Amino acid sequence: MHEPTSGMKSSTPQVNTKAALLGVACGLAAALCWALGFVATRHGLKIGFTPVDLLTHRFVWSGIAFLPLVVRAGLRDLGGIGWGRALALMVLGGPVMSLISYVGFVFVPLGHGSVIQPSCATLGGLFFAFFLLHEQISMSRFAGAIVIVTGLAVIGSESIGHIGASAVMGDLIFVLTGFMFAGFATLVRYWRASAFSVATVISVLSLALFPAYAAMGGLQRIAAIGFHENVLQAVAQGILAGPAAMYLFTLSIQRLGVARAAIFPATVPALTLLLGWLLIGEQPTVLQAVGLLTVLAGFYLAQRQG
């Protein structure tokens, strides 16, 4: 009589462990996709793409691919998400946030945006999880948040002392977009939205922006840059940094909760600086490296349970 009960108790931790491992794997995969998107963004701006061009690549192709699925699920309530919630998620985690982020890279090097935005997403996620969702935040995670802020201050000092006022504006742009994405993650958790539905609906709603882009001559501008570069951006922005990362991160939120999933954006800076150095030859400065190491120390503290 006691054996079945004992078996049931022992299986629960195993199920929870599998779910947690899946959440960690999805979070890390999302971070890699974002890192590749950051590098592709910096490369694209260097060779002549505008922020709006990159935004088009980010959402149009996935929007076209997902349109039949959203129509089948129901346009009246957008597959159960609802128009009001979908528009809020579209602003905080969709084209509005992405466009603002792209503009930031016009003012600062890759090492700034790739560290500041994900780190502020982590800070914002911890903040919103505690004050809005009432998730428990350990002292270790709180200490990690303080260390992350210290790392951001180091990077910000480079803008003030070496690059100029425009770089400070760029850094503040990434602070804004980081907290916007934290708000997106919090709402996804609070509304218990489906990972796949969020990714598809945001992409499809973003198609509404395409007619205005085409009318302003955007298609002729990107065609002049060349087929190869456009394919690269279509894959990096339209697949990896767009729906793939969004789906994986949303799945991570559902498995781990906002506070724990919010840690994964803090792995993006290291991945981005490494890939940026290897793929486009943009070597980080000493201050960027110091700030990155400080942020990584904060990440280590923030992901601990104690």
Side-chain angles (χ1 to χ4, degrees):
M1 292 293 292
H2 292 288
E3 291 181 1
T5 303
S6 176
M8 289 177 64
K9 287 183 179 180
S10 63
S11 66
T12 302
Q14 183 177 4
V15 172
N16 291 338
T17 300
K18 288 182 178 179
L21 288 175
L22 176 61
V24 169
C26 289
L28 291 175
L32 179 60
C33 289
W34 280 319
L36 289 169
F38 275 130
V39 175
T41 296
R42 182 66 173 170
H43 169 72
L45 291 172
K46 281 184 173 182
I47 65 169
F49 285 106
T50 68
V52 179
D53 296 333
L54 298 178
L55 183 72
T56 300
H57 277 303
R58 176 71 170 263
F59 291 102
V60 165
W61 310 117
S62 57
I64 293 172
F66 291 144
L67 181 58
L69 300 178
V70 175
V71 171
R72 188 182 309 157
L75 290 175
R76 185 171 183 177
D77 65 348
L78 296 176
I81 293 180
W83 280 88
R85 293 180 177 183
L87 290 174
L89 295 175
M90 182 178 171
V91 170
L92 295 175
V96 177
M97 187 274 291
S98 297
L99 181 60
I100 298 172
S101 177
Y102 294 150
V103 171
F105 278 112
V106 174
F107 300 104
V108 294
L110 180 65
H112 284 238
S114 63
V115 174
I116 294 174
Q117 180 171 306
S119 299
C120 286
T122 297
L123 293 174
L126 293 171
F127 178 84
F128 293 145
F130 180 75
F131 286 102
L132 300 181
L133 300 183
H134 307 295
E135 292 187 8
Q136 187 65 37
I137 307 298
S138 67
M139 286 302 298
S140 177
R141 288 176 181 163
F142 180 74
I146 295 175
V147 175
I148 288 173
V149 170
T150 303
L152 295 179
V154 172
I155 295 171
S157 68
E158 182 181 55
S159 295
I160 297 172
H162 297 83
I163 303 179
S166 63
V168 175
M169 181 171 66
D171 287 349
L172 291 176
I173 285 175
F174 289 117
V175 171
L176 171 62
T177 54
F179 275 88
M180 287 178 69
F181 195 77
F184 164 82
T186 302
L187 289 179
V188 166
R189 175 72 170 180
Y190 181 72
W191 290 331
R192 301 184 183 276
S194 162
F196 187 71
S197 296
V198 169
T200 57
V201 166
I202 288 180
S203 296
V204 169
L205 289 182
S206 300
L207 288 174
L209 305 174
F210 183 73
Y213 172 76
M216 293 186 294
L219 295 178
Q220 293 88 336
R221 183 171 60 250
I222 63 173
I225 295 178
F227 177 77
H228 173 77
E229 293 293 346
N230 278 282
V231 170
L232 188 152
Q233 294 298 331
V235 173
Q237 308 294 347
I239 298 176
L240 298 179
M246 192 179 302
Y247 173 75
L248 290 167
F249 185 61
T250 305
L251 203 59
S252 178
I253 294 170
Q254 293 173 340
R255 295 295 186 276
L256 302 175
V258 173
R260 294 181 66 189
I263 301 306
F264 292 108
T267 66
V268 175
L271 292 172
T272 304
L273 291 181
L274 176 61
L275 293 173
W277 191 358
L278 295 176
L279 298 179
I280 63 174
E282 191 162 311
Q283 186 173 349
T285 66
V286 174
L287 279 177
Q288 289 170 20
V290 171
L292 171 64
L293 291 175
T294 307
V295 166
L296 290 178
F299 164 73
Y300 170 75
L301 291 172
Q303 59 84 34
R304 292 178 61 188
Q305 294 292 329

